[in-house]
Every structure is written in C-alpha cells, then in structure tokens.
Amino acid sequence: MSTGDTFLFLSAFLASGVEFVEALTIVLAAGLARGWRSSLTGLAAATLVLAIITAALGPALTKIPIDALRLVVGGLLLVFGLQWLRKAILRASGYKALHDEDAIFAQEMADASGAEHVERAGVDWYGFTLAFKGVLLEGLEVVFIVLTFGSAQGSIPLAAAGAAAALLLVAGVGVAVRAPLARVPENAMKFAVGLMLTTFGVFWSVEGAGGSWPGSDAAILGVLGWVGLMSFLLVRLLRHERRTQLRTAEAQA
C-alpha cells in the first residue's frame, strides 16, 4: 500500500469514526429515552437515504476529469480541514471547551425525556425523528469524506473500507456497552482529522492546479509535518496568551 493509500484509509477511518461516535450518542439517547423501536427505525430510514445518495453521487464523480476533481476537492477539504483545525487548536489552547460526549448525551436524554409523546404508525415520532436526523446529518459527512477522498485519490473502495472499519468498531463497542463512548479520545481524533483534511487539501489543490510534488505521494508526509508544526506552534502561542490573560484578570480582581 502506497503512502497516499495509507493516509487515505486512516483519514477516512478517523474522520468517519468521529461522526459515528456522535451519531451513536444520539441513537442511544433516543433509544433509552423514547424506546428502541423508534430509534432503530429512524436509524434504518436514515441509512436507506444515505445509501441512495451514495449510489447517485458515486458514479457521477467518476465522470469528472481527475485534475479538475482534485482541484475542487482540494479546495473543499481545505475549507473543512481548516475549520476542524481551528476548533481543535482553540480546544487544545483552552479558548474553547473540550468536546464532552457525556454532557451531550445527558442533554439529549433530558430533551427526549421531556418531549411530548406522539405516536405514528406505531412508532414514537420524536424518537424516530431524533435518530433519523442525527444519523442522516453525521452520515452525510461520512458520505462526503468517502466520496471526495476516494474519488480524488482514485480509490473510493479504499475510503469506504476505512469508513466501514470505523463503523464496525464504533457500532460493536456501542452495542456492547450501550453507553456513549466518552472514553474515546475524540478531541485528539478531531485534531488528527483536521490535520489530515488540511494536508490532503493542500496536496490535491496543488496537483489539481497542475503542480507536482517531489517524491509524489510521499510528499504528503512533508505537508502533514508542516501543517502539524504550524498547528503545534499556534497552540503554544495561544496557551501562553491565555495564561497571560488569566493572570491579568486575577491581578485586577
């Protein structure tokens, strides 16, 4: 497996894993608060919609010239990657609260438990809608990741394999423990995903614009190292600024 293929699989695995953990939290909250029938029905309906979307978009992407596709996908990944990276840097430096899956689960449970019971076709409508929307929204991000990563690298099946591995792992652990995966290092995973999305965005944008990288796919390691170093420096600078602000506020109190 080449460097590009390895990074493709890992990127799809990590990014999909983050989305599946968040979807699992919503499905569990719906199931425990409103009943498993409505929750699993919403899950199944969302999965069907996602399958239709994937089947419709997948073949269409293969018709686009690879250079144009990489330029567009690279630009999109830069936008999404920098957004993920910005939030991860702010969390790591203390400017933004860390992602807390337990707190999100508790809030979803409270909202679901207090909602009015409306039954349609033998299914609790709130539980169905909560699970459907949660899985659909998180699933659309997975579909985007798989199709864009896979088509730009010329291997949708490999990207799909990474997402499938993440799904099996998260679903397996979720079924076993029936609780949100709060111990999963999701903040670190989000940071890693931001780094990888940004790296691929830079790499494919240059290739799509007609440029070439020394060492071909091996240059991905260099781009990743540069993005990671800049991110690390930003975290250090922001942490120092944050501590200075806190000391100033304490001195003035």
Side-chain angles (χ1 to χ4, degrees):
M1 185 180 290
S2 68
T3 303
D5 288 344
T6 301
F7 270 86
L8 171 64
F9 181 87
L10 289 176
S11 298
F13 176 83
L14 289 174
S16 300
V18 169
E19 304 302 337
F20 288 139
V21 168
E22 294 179 359
L24 173 66
T25 298
I26 295 171
V27 171
L28 284 172
L32 292 171
R34 310 294 294 195
W36 289 107
R37 181 179 180 182
S38 58
S39 176
L40 295 179
T41 302
L43 168 63
T47 302
L48 177 61
V49 173
L50 290 170
I52 294 172
I53 292 173
T54 304
L57 294 180
L61 290 175
T62 62
K63 306 297 183 182
I64 303 174
I66 188 64
D67 286 341
L69 184 63
R70 285 184 172 176
L71 183 59
V72 173
V73 169
L76 289 173
L77 289 182
L78 267 177
V79 172
F80 284 103
L82 289 172
Q83 287 179 345
W84 279 55
L85 203 52
R86 172 182 171 274
K87 291 178 181 179
I89 289 171
L90 290 175
R91 289 190 183 101
S93 59
Y95 274 93
K96 186 178 178 66
L98 294 175
H99 188 87
D100 188 341
E101 209 62 42
D102 273 339
I104 294 172
F105 177 73
Q107 184 61 53
E108 293 285 0
M109 280 286 293
D111 292 342
S113 298
E116 181 183 359
H117 179 78
V118 177
E119 191 170 303
R120 298 179 183 177
V123 173
D124 177 77
W125 191 244
Y126 185 93
F128 170 86
T129 304
L130 178 61
F132 177 82
K133 289 195 300 184
V135 173
L136 183 63
L137 291 175
E138 304 298 342
L140 283 174
E141 294 200 39
V142 174
V143 169
F144 171 81
I145 290 164
V146 169
L147 292 181
T148 54
F149 273 48
S151 56
Q153 191 66 10
S155 183
I156 289 179
L158 185 59
L167 174 61
L168 290 175
L169 178 61
V170 172
V173 175
V175 169
V177 302
R178 292 192 181 184
L181 306 185
R183 294 186 179 181
V184 173
E186 192 172 354
N187 292 289
M189 288 175 65
K190 286 176 178 288
F191 207 130
V193 171
L195 290 174
M196 289 185 169
L197 289 176
T198 303
T199 296
F200 272 117
V202 172
F203 185 81
W204 284 334
S205 294
V206 171
E207 285 202 334
S212 60
W213 292 96
S216 189
D217 283 355
I220 294 175
L221 292 172
V223 178
L224 178 63
W226 179 79
V227 174
L229 177 61
M230 293 299 102
S231 300
F232 174 75
L233 291 175
L234 282 172
V235 169
R236 292 294 298 272
L237 288 171
L238 288 173
R239 278 181 179 173
H240 176 72
E241 181 181 333
R242 180 65 173 166
R243 285 196 294 266
T244 301
Q245 292 176 348
L246 291 175
R247 284 196 295 267
T248 302
E250 289 175 357
Q252 293 175 348

